[in-house]
Amino acid sequence: MQTAADAGDAAARLAAVPAGHRVALVDPRFVGHVHALRLGLTDPRFPAAAVPGALAAQPEARGALMRALRRATAAVGAGAPVAGPDADGAPEDRTVPGRIAVALEAEGTAVKRPELGSLTAAVPTDAGARAAAESARDQVDDEAVRLRSAVKAHDGFFTTYGISPYSRYIARWCARRGLTPNQVTTASLITALIAAGAAATGTRGGYVAAGILLLVSFVLDCTDGQLARYSLQYSTMGAWLDATFDRAKEYAYYAGLAIGAIRGGDDVWTLALGAMVLQACRHVVDFSFNEANHDAVANTSPTAALSDKLDSVGWTVWARRMIVLPIGERWAMIAVLTALTTPRVVFYALLVGCSLAACYTTAGRLLRSLTRKARRTDRAARALADLADSGPLAQGVAAVAPGLRGGFTAPVVALLGTLVMIGAALFLPYGSWLTVAAAAVYALLSGLAVARPLKGALDWLVPPFFRAGEYVTILVLAARSDVPHAVPAAFGLVSAVAYHHYDTVYRIRGGTGAPPQWLVRTIGGHEGRTALVAVLAAVLTHTSGFTTALTALAAAVALVVLVESIRFWVSSSAPAVHDEGELA
């Protein structure tokens, strides 16, 4: 920390700081909470951030900061500017940091201004104002606000009332001992893997231990995000680990339950894969709908208005959050049922609960889409096309086929292709080449569905239909093969492909676009992988070679996808995206 005599001296001192460092300007008259300064000066996600009387700039904003500071120095001289009311009578930050923040925005550099809530941040200009600011500061417990703001603003009932009241204190304990969110995230993964191993023993003691450990893993899963918000330790690696490990934990636990059931004489691999497929399809419905509508223009849905009205009534908020079976409720249900019942009961409960949740959420989204008058943007259409995961076959069809007209044409064609593929896998003789022909029809219809930009009211259904077409086909063909270990191999293949689809979602959310086209082409796209599995089933009918082929395909997809994903998320271009906590 250095004290500058005036704006000119501040410019000279900042120029001497190495280019790769974050720098901050704070008015010496600043009065406020320490956490207000943390929010304004230490959050690494934004190129520049400001609170009244303070401004921080990351290395990428240093040049703009220096230019703005030099212009401010030339305009007002070396004397310290004062703070006063603006034209509306509201306080305006006329300090050097405040003026520089305005100048940065005028030049095109985004300046994050965090919500301070009850926190105080002010630059008083006289004794009376200073006394008032100090009084306001002293009346609010800075640490209590920091703990409260570490908790995610909108979470499920179980997480809000069963986990967060004490996990925030675990987060503070971790922060005071120098632990990072990534270390806590890794601990959560390790705990869940141990839980999966305990479930794989197939004993009652193992199931009880698995249920307890799964809950511990979820507590740590909540703690890592709260630690990140408490200490403002956001990172690109943390965003990737948090998103990736959640999927790895759930899939590993399902596999552990299935292995444990086998040891007890009950084969539930098909149920385990079914639960995973259903959960993944639920998620892609959420992702597609949100990407299609988050920047829609002229949104006027009466269904959305009714939803907002229901959210104003306390009990309906929690009822609606619980009925969608979010991760907290889902993991609590899995943990309790694991300890008290059998893996088969766990998977039945998951299938029933997730099916009801899927029906509820999808029905609501359909009503919103049909009743809203909105114009979808090019960005939304691009996101849906990326989520569709079309490979060379579908892209080739889309390139030469005329775009089909009609508001609901794309989802209808995608649904038709999905029904043809799943119907063939279910009802045609296993190993029939007619199933391969159905896969060709599926690829053709998939290309027709994406031949035009996906801007229709229900075009967000196209990616979920494709996910169901691919995942369910793999599940059905593996289950009908009667080949030992085919379903576990299919479980591995769907896990690898689902990771690719989740990775695509989180890249789009971070604003960096989907994975590169070479990756999509290399792993075939959804229609290419579906056709390949159909061909393998026909060529390797009822032989152990089918299991070997599925295993090899799963390993190849996982290798390519993971290498590219790790390269992206550890690179400097990857975004740091985290859910926000409660307002301070």
Side-chain angles (χ1 to χ4, degrees):
M1 180 185 296
Q2 299 184 39
T3 302
D6 50 42
D9 186 26
R13 292 175 182 270
L14 286 176
V17 178
H21 287 64
R22 178 177 60 215
V23 295
L25 286 171
V26 181
D27 193 290
R29 299 165 295 174
F30 177 86
V31 174
H33 289 100
V34 174
H35 194 55
L37 282 178
R38 288 193 191 97
L39 292 172
L41 304 184
T42 65
D43 195 326
R45 295 173 296 173
F46 311 105
V51 295
L55 168 71
Q58 297 283 5
E60 60 266 31
R62 286 279 301 275
L65 170 66
M66 294 305 300
R67 291 191 295 272
L69 187 55
R70 292 189 184 102
R71 287 196 300 270
T73 302
V76 304
V82 297
D86 63 14
D88 298 325
E92 179 186 4
D93 188 1
R94 295 183 179 175
T95 63
V96 169
R99 290 179 181 273
I100 299 304
V102 173
L104 286 176
E105 291 174 318
E107 189 174 321
T109 299
V111 178
K112 172 67 175 179
R113 301 178 187 274
E115 295 282 350
L116 297 181
S118 58
L119 294 175
T120 297
V123 181
T125 57
D126 55 51
R130 172 169 288 275
E134 290 175 345
S135 176
R137 178 195 62 195
D138 295 340
Q139 289 176 13
V140 175
D141 185 345
D142 179 69
E143 181 62 18
V145 171
R146 189 181 181 190
L147 275 172
R148 186 173 69 249
S149 62
V151 177
K152 191 185 295 184
H154 303 289
D155 226 327
F157 182 86
F158 176 73
T159 304
T160 299
Y161 293 105
I163 304 297
S164 293
Y166 57 88
S167 61
R168 68 184 75 181
Y169 295 101
I170 300 176
R172 180 171 67 180
W173 183 89
C174 293
R176 291 178 175 178
R177 282 151 183 82
L179 298 176
T180 67
N182 291 351
Q183 290 171 332
V184 178
T185 302
T186 303
S188 175
L189 173 66
I190 293 172
T191 304
L193 294 179
I194 296 173
T201 63
T203 64
R204 177 52 51 195
Y207 290 148
V208 172
I212 295 172
L213 288 170
L214 188 64
L215 289 177
V216 172
S217 175
F218 183 65
V219 171
L220 294 174
D221 187 48
C222 295
T223 300
D224 63 0
Q226 292 167 358
L227 174 58
R229 289 183 285 270
Y230 179 85
S231 56
L232 299 178
Q233 296 183 76
Y234 302 113
S235 69
T236 57
M237 178 66 78
W240 174 67
L241 290 178
D242 190 51
T244 302
F245 285 2
D246 277 350
R247 305 284 75 79
K249 287 182 287 190
E250 194 157 11
Y251 296 168
Y253 194 80
Y254 289 0
L257 284 175
I259 294 171
I262 286 286
R263 291 186 170 180
D266 188 13
D267 188 347
V268 296
W269 271 110
T270 300
L271 294 178
L273 181 51
M276 185 174 73
V277 167
L278 179 56
Q279 185 61 28
C281 290
R282 276 190 62 203
H283 281 159
V284 79
V285 167
D286 298 340
F287 297 145
S288 295
F289 179 81
N290 291 335
E291 289 302 325
N293 295 288
H294 88 281
D295 58 354
V297 180
N299 180 0
T300 56
S301 168
T303 308
L306 174 61
S307 178
D308 293 339
K309 185 177 294 185
L310 289 174
D311 279 342
S312 65
V313 182
W315 70 269
T316 63
V317 174
W318 294 118
R320 296 172 70 215
R321 289 188 190 177
M322 292 174 68
I323 200 173
V324 300
L325 206 63
I327 187 170
E329 277 73 2
R330 191 167 70 251
W331 282 32
M333 179 184 75
I334 293 172
V336 171
L337 291 179
T338 299
L340 300 179
T341 63
T342 65
R344 180 172 290 273
V345 172
V346 173
F347 289 124
Y348 281 151
L350 274 172
L351 289 168
V352 172
C354 289
S355 295
L356 293 175
C359 290
Y360 171 77
T361 55
T362 305
R365 288 177 168 86
L366 285 171
L367 287 174
R368 289 192 184 201
S369 299
L370 292 172
T371 57
R372 81 195 319 165
K373 298 178 181 179
R375 185 172 67 254
R376 269 70 182 186
T377 64
D378 291 337
R379 179 204 175 279
R382 180 68 260 169
L384 290 180
D386 291 334
L387 290 173
D389 192 33
S390 300
L393 297 177
Q395 289 178 1
V397 172
V400 299
L404 300 176
R405 298 186 180 276
F408 304 130
T409 302
V412 168
V413 171
L415 176 60
L416 178 60
T418 297
L419 293 177
V420 167
M421 188 67 252
I422 295 177
L426 276 171
F427 301 114
L428 289 176
Y430 177 78
S432 169
W433 283 96
L434 289 177
T435 305
V436 178
V441 174
Y442 175 67
L444 174 65
L445 294 176
S446 297
L448 292 176
V450 297
R452 290 175 61 86
L454 298 175
K455 293 187 175 182
L458 297 180
D459 284 359
W460 56 270
L461 287 169
V462 171
F465 286 151
F466 289 163
R467 294 298 80 74
E470 179 181 6
Y471 295 169
V472 175
T473 296
I474 295 173
L475 165 61
V476 171
L477 291 179
R480 294 188 65 196
S481 69
D482 291 328
V483 175
H485 310 303
V487 178
F491 187 97
L493 175 58
V494 173
S495 297
V497 174
Y499 174 83
H500 164 62
H501 291 143
Y502 281 107
D503 187 53
T504 301
V505 167
Y506 290 115
R507 293 197 198 203
I508 293 173
R509 280 184 170 182
T512 59
Q517 273 299 301
W518 70 260
L519 175 66
V520 177
R521 289 193 295 268
T522 299
I523 60 175
H526 70 94
E527 80 290 351
R529 291 186 298 269
T530 304
L532 178 57
V533 173
V535 170
L536 292 175
V539 172
L540 304 171
T541 305
H542 300 303
T543 69
S544 60
F546 185 57
T547 296
T548 303
L550 287 181
T551 303
L553 180 59
V557 171
L559 177 63
V560 175
V561 168
L562 283 173
V563 168
E564 162 56 21
S565 178
I566 293 171
R567 182 210 63 78
F568 171 78
W569 285 102
V570 300
S571 70
S572 59
S573 62
V577 182
H578 288 265
D579 294 316
E580 294 294 337
E582 296 284 0
L583 292 179

